[in-house]
Amino acid sequence: MLESQGTLRIRTYTAGGALPVSGALVRITGAEEDNRFVAYTLTTDRDGLTPVIILPAPAANYSLAPDPAEQAYSVYDAEISATGYMTKRINGLTVFSGVDSVQLVNLIPVSDYNINQIPRGNINTTIPENEDLN
C-alpha cells in the first residue's frame, strides 16, 4: 500500500554531462498495480532539470525490516524526448519514501548514422532488479 511519498527529479544532458538539454519532454508513469494511475508530464528547464515530482511510495518502515512483507519502494517508468535527440525510455525507476531521487539521462543527438543503427530512433533502458532492495 502506498501511504507515503518520495520525490524524483530528472536531469537531462548530452556530451558526457557537459551540456544540459533544456526543453526535453519527460513523462513519468506508474509501473505497478498500486501506482498505475500516476502520470506526470514535465519539461526540463535551462539546466536540464525537471521540477521535483512528489510520488506515492510505501511507508519507510518497510525498508527497515530485514525481510519485509511488502516491497519497500515503488517502481515508475520514464520516457524522455527532445527535438534533435533520440527518445529514451527508462523502466524500473525506484522511489523510496522520504528519499529525494535524481535520475540522470544522457540523451544522444540524432544523426544520419545513428538513426539507422537504432530502429525508430529510440533507446530503451531497464534498470535491473536489485536483490538487495527486496
Side-chain angles (χ1 to χ4, degrees), residues 16-70:
L19 300 171
V21 177
S22 63
L25 185 65
V26 177
R27 291 183 188 94
I28 305 292
T29 56
E32 301 175 303
E33 183 66 28
D34 284 347
N35 64 8
R36 72 175 186 261
F37 296 115
V38 174
Y40 287 89
T41 301
L42 308 125
T43 304
T44 58
D45 63 15
R46 68 185 188 132
D47 296 320
L49 292 166
T50 64
V52 173
I53 310 159
I54 299 172
L55 296 168
N61 62 337
Y62 290 124
S63 65
L64 302 176
D67 189 20
E70 298 282 332

Side-chain angles (χ1 to χ4, degrees), residues 37-111:
F37 296 115
V38 174
Y40 287 89
T41 301
L42 308 125
T43 304
T44 58
D45 63 15
R46 68 185 188 132
D47 296 320
L49 292 166
T50 64
V52 173
I53 310 159
I54 299 172
L55 296 168
N61 62 337
Y62 290 124
S63 65
L64 302 176
D67 189 20
E70 298 282 332
Q71 180 175 281
Y73 55 89
S74 290
V75 180
Y76 294 89
D77 295 333
E79 183 176 279
I80 303 93
S81 59
T83 302
Y85 295 89
M86 292 186 192
T87 298
K88 189 164 200 176
R89 182 156 178 81
I90 303 172
N91 300 314
L93 295 170
T94 54
V95 173
F96 288 84
S97 175
V99 175
D100 298 326
S101 303
V102 176
Q103 177 64 48
L104 304 177
V105 180
N106 183 17
L107 294 177
I108 299 171
V110 174
S111 72

